[in-house]
Amino acid sequence: QQPVQSPQAVILREGEDAVINCSSSKALYSVHWYRQKHGEAPVFLMILLKGGEQKGHEKISASFNEKKQQSSLYLTASQLSYSGTYFCGTECLMDSSYKLIFGSGTRLLVRP
Amino acid sequence: EAGVTQFPSHSVIEKGQTVTLRCDPISGHDNLYWYRRVMGKEIKFLLHFVKESKQDESGMPNNRFLAERTGGTYSTLKVQPAELEDSGVYFCASSQGSGRIDNEQFFGPGTRLTVL
């Protein structure tokens, strides 16, 4: 039920690109992306809805393949501030209610 | 605008004791969620309030956990008696809207609970 995120961790040099993938075995209504810095609250990045609508961060892009039940988050020209743990949350209908099920996170470290 | 606040930020208790966590959502947000993250694992759903009603409590681990949201404002999560496996970071989040989860959830900073 829990979406699978890959990679589990990645280290980049400033300016490099990264892709974080999120894959679910269940039909998805939307995919949410959050970033958490150590000891802080997870911060909203983006929501991707069925049908192609997106809400969120202007400088971060993501894709949502509804058929494959997958989403990818694209971090380009990474900055030091991008470091943190990235979580995808998949909106699923379970037990007659909509739930946001999170993955285990992808730890990203951007070095100078 | 004040964000979601949680109290306390840290709590260390002994096995068998009781702990109560508090969450103050963003004013006007009907939806309030509780989540838990055990180190290195996923942010796991515990329950969802819509105003003062429990919309979904399917994620609550067992009957040692009791959540309330009297008056539809702040919420408390009580663990009684606490066990070692209850350790983790408890997050609260709030959002607007109803039904579908197609709006941003605003997370609090979490309460780190350690049960010794």
Side-chain angles (χ1 to χ4, degrees):
Chain A
Q1 292 180 349
Q2 171 192 345
V4 176
Q5 288 187 234
S6 62
Q8 289 184 313
V10 60
I11 300 175
L12 299 176
R13 293 221 176 266
E14 206 172 359
E16 292 180 340
D17 302 339
V19 179
I20 301 173
N21 299 301
C22 175
S23 178
S24 175
S25 60
K26 297 183 72 69
L28 305 179
Y29 291 83
S30 66
V31 178
H32 301 222
W33 287 95
Y34 286 80
R35 176 174 62 214
Q36 184 193 13
K37 293 184 181 288
H38 184 68
E40 298 179 8
V43 172
F44 170 77
L45 296 176
M46 177 168 289
I47 295 175
L48 301 109
L49 304 170
K50 285 178 92 166
E53 183 184 356
Q54 296 186 6
K55 303 180 187 180
H57 210 290
E58 292 176 358
K59 294 187 178 179
I60 290 177
S61 63
S63 63
F64 177 23
N65 187 322
E66 299 165 28
K67 264 190 174 178
K68 291 186 177 180
Q69 296 158 189
Q70 295 174 345
S71 177
S72 294
L73 185 71
Y74 305 98
L75 302 168
T76 56
S78 59
Q79 303 170 19
L80 298 177
S81 61
Y82 286 9
S83 293
T85 301
Y86 289 77
F87 292 96
C88 73
T90 52
E91 184 192 6
C92 310
L93 181 60
M94 293 169 57
D95 303 320
S96 303
S97 71
Y98 294 96
K99 283 186 181 60
L100 204 55
I101 310 295
F102 286 93
S104 298
T106 294
R107 294 179 66 179
L108 174 69
L109 175 64
V110 181
R111 289 182 167 162
Chain B
E1 178 184 316
V4 177
T5 57
Q6 292 186 245
F7 180 83
S9 57
H10 291 79
S11 182
V12 181
I13 59 173
E14 293 189 353
K15 177 183 170 181
Q17 291 184 326
T18 298
V19 63
T20 301
L21 314 180
R22 173 171 170 144
C23 168
D24 285 79
I26 291 174
S27 177
H29 282 190
D30 289 341
N31 296 292
L32 188 150
Y33 304 86
W34 282 99
Y35 295 92
R36 177 174 71 182
R37 186 175 191 222
V38 174
M39 193 189 306
K41 306 224 169 169
E42 76 274 23
I43 299 175
K44 191 171 180 196
F45 168 84
L46 296 179
L47 91 159
H48 171 205
F49 282 101
V50 176
K51 297 184 180 177
E52 66 275 9
S53 300
K54 289 177 187 172
Q55 177 77 12
D56 181 352
E57 53 182 333
S58 60
M60 295 286 262
N62 50 60
N63 59 10
R64 295 184 293 102
F65 288 74
L66 175 63
E68 294 180 324
R69 193 183 181 194
T70 309
T73 55
Y74 72 91
S75 174
T76 57
L77 179 65
K78 181 192 282 189
V79 184
Q80 178 182 32
E83 298 289 344
L84 299 179
E85 64 265 24
D86 301 334
S87 296
V89 180
Y90 289 77
F91 290 105
C92 173
S94 70
S95 71
Q96 295 178 317
S98 61
R100 287 281 316 284
I101 309 176
D102 54 3
N103 283 312
E104 173 185 355
Q105 291 189 16
F106 294 81
F107 278 78
T111 293
R112 181 175 294 277
L113 175 65
T114 302
V115 183
L116 303 176

